[in-house]
Amino acid sequence: MKPRHTDHSDASKDIRSGRIISRYVKKNALFAMLFAVLGLWALQMVFAYLAELEDISDAYTYVDALTYIFYRSPYFLQQFMPTGALLGAVVGLGLLANNSELIVMRAAGLSIYRIVGWVLQPAFIFVILALLINQFILPQSNVKASQIRKPDTALLASVNGYWTLQNAPTEAGSTTDNKESLASAQAHNIIFIDYADANGNIGEVKRWHLDADNNLTAVSKATGGTYVPSLQQGQDKPVVAAQDQSDSLANYQWQLDNVTTLKVADKAAILESDTLGNQPAAQLTDTQATSVDSDQSGQAMALTSQPLVAKQAESTDVINLPISPSSVYLLTRRAEDLSLTQLYEHKRFNASQGTRSLEHEVAFWQKLLSPFSVLSLVIVACSFVFGSLRTHSLGLRIVVAIIFGLLFSYIQDLTSFVSLATGAPPLLMVLLPIIGSGLLGFYLIRRQG
């Protein structure tokens, strides 16, 4: 009698059929997710471009608006990827359910969890894509978009750029033996830098010069600056930027370009008189103003004590900062414009300074945990097909999926605002919506199973 190989052949057939079914489910889920993500992405870009048309002017043309939307498109793609994966999973499994294919799979002995595992595998493609966009594309595209159309910085709660307060440098050769030099040594400057790149170049720089009594003495503005390592080592150091060597915090220096300074006079008077031959108003000291006032002979003279401002333009100047160019780059960027590694470096720098930025911490955890957002929403999508909505039409499932996706996004924004407002741990507040949606999906699936 020949040996029977029925069991072995049946097992091999089961393996082959399982692979075929697995590929079939994965392919349907992948294409459904892909089309859903691309559809939401295209709709968002169209609506965003229509919104930009309201601000069209001679300075901001239709081409500029289209270019701006192009550079913002990676942000839109990353923003709608979780909702698109949710919608795609509902559509992909819903089509299988409408054709009774899921019933056949269940009758063949396939568990719900195995089918859900097959659907989760294509979702990992979008997980990796989201991480790549956050790490490599968004930092560059958002910067180019902001160069075309600067973000609204008029909000009171918005503090952009890098701000620092430091002692004002003393002039070369000055001493502190007299009162004026002592006051100069106690003077300080407020410095603002609105932009910096990874190469050490900085954008517009504004400085407010204050004396020892916090009175404004001058305001200066530079169009840009370049980091010069040789100045840090004391080579080719210009006299105009000489600084007290005791100030060891300012270890890095930048060469500024096109500097314009407005100096406020300490004591001044404006004298308007026809007897001066229609000369422009001149700056006078208290003694000179009194003398001219006493010499007037019946002619109308107007003497008012007002500060005079002298405008001075310089081709170059130098500022000293206590942090390296890479740190300036991180501190002048918005949280959404930084990659994961840059946000981590920003967090480490703040920790070394004894400070923290909740906005950047929230952005870090949102980007790092975004893959789990996609996976949790896909689990919820599976629960819509296998759970209480299994007897309803595909259209109703799609509507419920869209509503749940928007609700998930709003809850994420709400928990972020709660963290910023109350100081709650950013990691916990970012995890709450993800854990909640995942537990809800598992509960609905388990109840059906």
Side-chain angles (χ1 to χ4, degrees):
M1 178 181 288
K2 295 183 179 179
R4 297 180 61 185
H5 300 284
T6 305
D7 296 339
H8 179 71
S9 60
D10 291 344
S12 61
K13 289 180 180 179
D14 291 341
I15 293 175
R16 286 196 300 270
S17 61
R19 291 176 179 175
I20 294 174
I21 296 175
S22 173
R23 287 196 297 267
Y24 180 71
V25 173
K26 293 176 186 178
K27 183 180 70 173
N28 278 273
L30 174 62
F31 282 106
M33 293 180 188
L34 181 62
F35 286 121
V37 170
L38 292 179
L40 292 176
W41 184 33
L43 285 176
Q44 177 60 27
M45 287 194 295
V46 170
F47 290 141
Y49 182 73
L50 294 177
E52 292 297 318
L53 296 181
E54 299 178 357
D55 300 326
I56 294 298
S57 62
D58 294 337
Y60 187 66
T61 62
Y62 291 95
V63 177
D64 293 333
L66 189 60
T67 306
Y68 170 76
I69 296 300
F70 172 76
Y71 285 126
R72 289 290 286 174
S73 59
Y75 173 76
F76 298 145
L77 177 60
Q78 181 268 341
Q79 186 181 27
F80 283 94
M81 199 169 294
T83 306
L86 167 66
L87 183 60
V90 170
V91 172
L93 288 178
L95 292 175
L96 296 179
N98 287 348
N99 296 329
S100 301
E101 292 172 303
L102 291 181
I103 298 177
V104 174
M105 295 178 190
R106 294 296 310 280
L110 295 176
S111 65
I112 294 179
Y113 296 104
R114 190 174 183 182
I115 299 175
V116 172
W118 289 341
V119 178
L120 286 175
Q121 292 180 27
F124 277 99
I125 298 177
F126 297 93
V127 166
I128 297 174
L129 181 60
L131 289 176
L132 292 177
I133 291 175
N134 282 323
Q135 178 64 28
F136 300 106
I137 300 178
L138 278 185
Q140 305 297 329
S141 61
N142 283 351
V143 169
K144 293 182 178 180
S146 62
Q147 291 174 352
I148 299 175
R149 183 176 178 85
K150 291 187 176 181
D152 185 13
T153 59
L155 298 178
L156 294 177
S158 177
V159 180
N160 299 293
Y162 170 64
W163 295 80
T164 183
L165 175 66
Q166 59 181 223
N167 292 333
T170 57
E171 296 295 334
S174 63
T175 63
T176 58
D177 295 336
N178 53 63
K179 227 174 189 184
E180 292 183 2
S181 297
L182 215 41
S184 176
Q186 296 174 352
H188 47 277
N189 297 337
I190 300 175
I191 300 177
F192 167 73
I193 301 174
D194 72 336
Y195 169 81
D197 60 19
N199 298 324
N201 301 318
I202 56 178
E204 187 178 72
V205 179
K206 297 179 182 179
R207 289 177 291 174
W208 292 264
H209 306 267
L210 307 176
D211 60 14
D213 297 325
N214 293 327
N215 296 318
L216 183 65
T217 60
V219 178
S220 62
K221 177 182 177 181
T223 59
T226 305
Y227 173 64
V228 185
S230 60
L231 293 180
Q232 179 188 352
Q233 303 170 0
Q235 302 175 1
D236 302 330
K237 194 171 185 178
V239 177
V240 69
Q243 187 172 2
D244 187 5
Q245 297 298 325
S246 62
D247 186 7
S248 60
L249 292 177
N251 299 323
Y252 304 90
Q253 294 182 340
W254 277 259
Q255 190 83 31
L256 301 181
D257 301 325
N258 301 325
V259 181
T260 303
T261 305
L262 299 178
K263 294 185 177 181
V264 181
D266 295 334
K267 295 180 181 180
I270 298 178
L271 179 65
E272 297 177 354
S273 173
D274 295 335
T275 60
L276 298 179
N278 295 327
Q279 296 179 357
Q283 178 178 343
L284 303 175
T285 64
D286 291 345
T287 305
Q288 292 172 331
T290 305
S291 175
V292 173
D293 185 64
S294 61
D295 290 342
Q296 55 181 329
S297 56
Q299 296 184 359
M301 289 187 177
L303 185 62
T304 59
S305 297
Q306 298 180 2
L308 292 180
V309 177
K311 184 176 181 180
Q312 179 182 356
E314 300 177 3
S315 59
T316 59
D317 196 358
V318 171
I319 60 170
N320 303 319
L321 296 178
I323 57 178
S324 63
S326 59
S327 299
V328 177
Y329 171 77
L330 295 178
L331 294 177
T332 55
R333 283 285 185 272
R334 295 180 301 170
E336 65 179 21
D337 296 339
L338 296 176
S339 64
L340 274 171
T341 55
Q342 291 171 344
L343 286 171
Y344 179 71
E345 291 297 328
H346 187 281
K347 183 180 179 181
R348 289 183 57 190
F349 175 80
N350 283 339
S352 66
Q353 300 295 318
T355 60
R356 63 182 304 189
S357 173
L358 288 176
E359 181 184 1
H360 288 78
E361 290 185 24
V362 169
F364 171 76
W365 291 116
Q366 283 181 338
K367 292 186 177 184
L368 182 64
L369 299 177
S370 60
F372 297 98
S373 301
V374 176
L375 297 179
S376 66
L377 290 180
V378 171
I379 294 174
V380 173
C382 296
S383 70
F384 289 164
V385 178
F386 293 109
S388 58
L389 295 178
R390 66 187 184 277
T391 58
H392 294 79
S393 64
L394 178 60
L396 180 60
R397 295 174 192 164
I398 293 176
V399 172
V400 174
I402 294 176
I403 294 175
F404 187 87
L406 294 177
L407 181 62
F408 178 83
S409 178
Y410 294 150
I411 293 177
Q412 272 193 323
D413 294 338
L414 178 61
T415 54
S416 301
F417 291 143
V418 170
S419 177
L420 295 176
T422 63
L427 174 59
L428 175 62
M429 302 309 293
V430 173
L431 276 175
L432 282 179
I434 300 175
I435 295 176
S437 62
L439 291 178
L440 176 63
F442 275 120
Y443 170 74
L444 295 177
I445 293 176
R446 184 176 180 181
R447 195 174 71 171
Q448 170 62 17

